[in-house]
Amino acid sequence: MIRLLIADDHAIVSSGLLQLFSLSSDVCVVALATNGGQVIDSLRTTPCDLVLLDMSMPGISGIDLIGRIRVRAPALPILVLSMHNEALVVRRALKAGANGYMTKDCDPEALLLAVRKVAAGGRYLDPGLAEQMVFDTDSDQFKHPHEQLSNRELCIFRLFVSGMGVNQIADELAISNKTVSTHKARLMQKMGFQSNADMLRYGVDHNLGS
């Protein structure tokens, strides 16, 4: 039996996943988490065989959360299930320690296959993403200016583009307003933005809103 921890802050997604896995004879959901803190707490108290992880949740999330899981449980399989399908995000998630990556528009049977494969020690990449990355011949170069940003800078950039302000982002990521402002200043300098309008325009043009 595969003991599964589902980490997703969207109730409708978690509900659908619970229904899907309830129909499987070899997968059992042992914990649900809606933010990064709950994921870490669950790992302390509830043994599991795989973490099914959304990339965008309140508090610690995404690349940062994958890294923290790896520190606490180096061998625990992590399968990302995300709405983000950009090669940049996928590459960074895998580099941070994820064992697999799928998008939320995947077929339920494909998700079950991925869960079983990753829980057994394998790796799994959504076929559409795999094809995109294989033909991304310039993957080692910065194809777009935002690819030079750090993981945290890119996360904060996305949140600004999605319409959040400094205070909201600070609450979302559980960091100080000053830290958010510092990251914002650095990313604007790296990208050569002269104003918030420049930043938002670029983000919209490159579909970076979370």
Side-chain angles (χ1 to χ4, degrees), residues 92-114:
R92 291 191 178 190
L94 297 176
K95 185 177 181 179
N99 304 89
Y101 197 111
M102 299 196 72
T103 55
K104 288 185 175 179
D105 59 356
C106 67
D107 183 88
E109 287 301 319
L111 177 57
L112 283 169
L113 172 64

Side-chain angles (χ1 to χ4, degrees), residues 44-66:
R44 293 192 187 103
T45 60
T46 308
C48 66
D49 302 306
L50 183 142
V51 177
L52 186 62
L53 183 67
D54 185 18
M55 287 290 283
S56 301
M57 294 189 299
I60 303 164
S61 67
I63 306 301
D64 290 343
L65 182 53
I66 292 173

Side-chain angles (χ1 to χ4, degrees), residues 18-186:
L18 283 170
Q19 184 175 4
L20 170 65
F21 294 125
S22 71
L23 301 175
S24 173
S25 61
D26 61 341
V27 179
C28 175
V29 177
V30 296
L32 293 172
T34 59
N35 59 61
Q38 290 180 5
V39 172
I40 300 302
D41 289 342
S42 294
L43 292 180
R44 293 192 187 103
T45 60
T46 308
C48 66
D49 302 306
L50 183 142
V51 177
L52 186 62
L53 183 67
D54 185 18
M55 287 290 283
S56 301
M57 294 189 299
I60 303 164
S61 67
I63 306 301
D64 290 343
L65 182 53
I66 292 173
R68 295 204 182 196
I69 294 172
R70 275 287 153 263
V71 170
R72 177 163 294 277
L76 179 62
I78 301 171
L79 175 61
V80 173
L81 181 64
S82 174
M83 66 178 180
H84 298 301
N85 62 358
E86 306 97 318
L88 171 64
V89 176
V90 178
R91 286 198 302 270
R92 291 191 178 190
L94 297 176
K95 185 177 181 179
N99 304 89
Y101 197 111
M102 299 196 72
T103 55
K104 288 185 175 179
D105 59 356
C106 67
D107 183 88
E109 287 301 319
L111 177 57
L112 283 169
L113 172 64
V115 165
R116 291 167 180 143
K117 184 172 182 180
V118 173
R123 299 178 71 84
Y124 190 94
L125 187 59
D126 183 292
L129 295 176
E131 181 177 348
Q132 178 183 347
M133 294 176 72
V134 165
F135 290 102
D136 184 13
T137 54
D138 296 324
S139 61
D140 293 330
Q141 303 296 323
F142 293 144
K143 296 182 67 177
H144 302 290
H146 65 269
E147 295 188 17
Q148 67 184 299
L149 300 178
S150 69
N151 294 327
R152 178 48 63 93
E153 288 166 350
L154 183 61
C155 174
I156 288 175
F157 190 6
R158 286 181 177 278
L159 294 176
F160 273 118
V161 176
S162 72
M164 288 189 179
V166 171
N167 293 340
Q168 291 172 300
I169 294 174
D171 290 341
E172 179 81 5
L173 301 179
I175 57 180
S176 70
N177 296 5
K178 182 177 179 180
T179 299
V180 174
S181 297
T182 298
H183 283 301
K184 179 186 177 184
R186 287 176 180 169

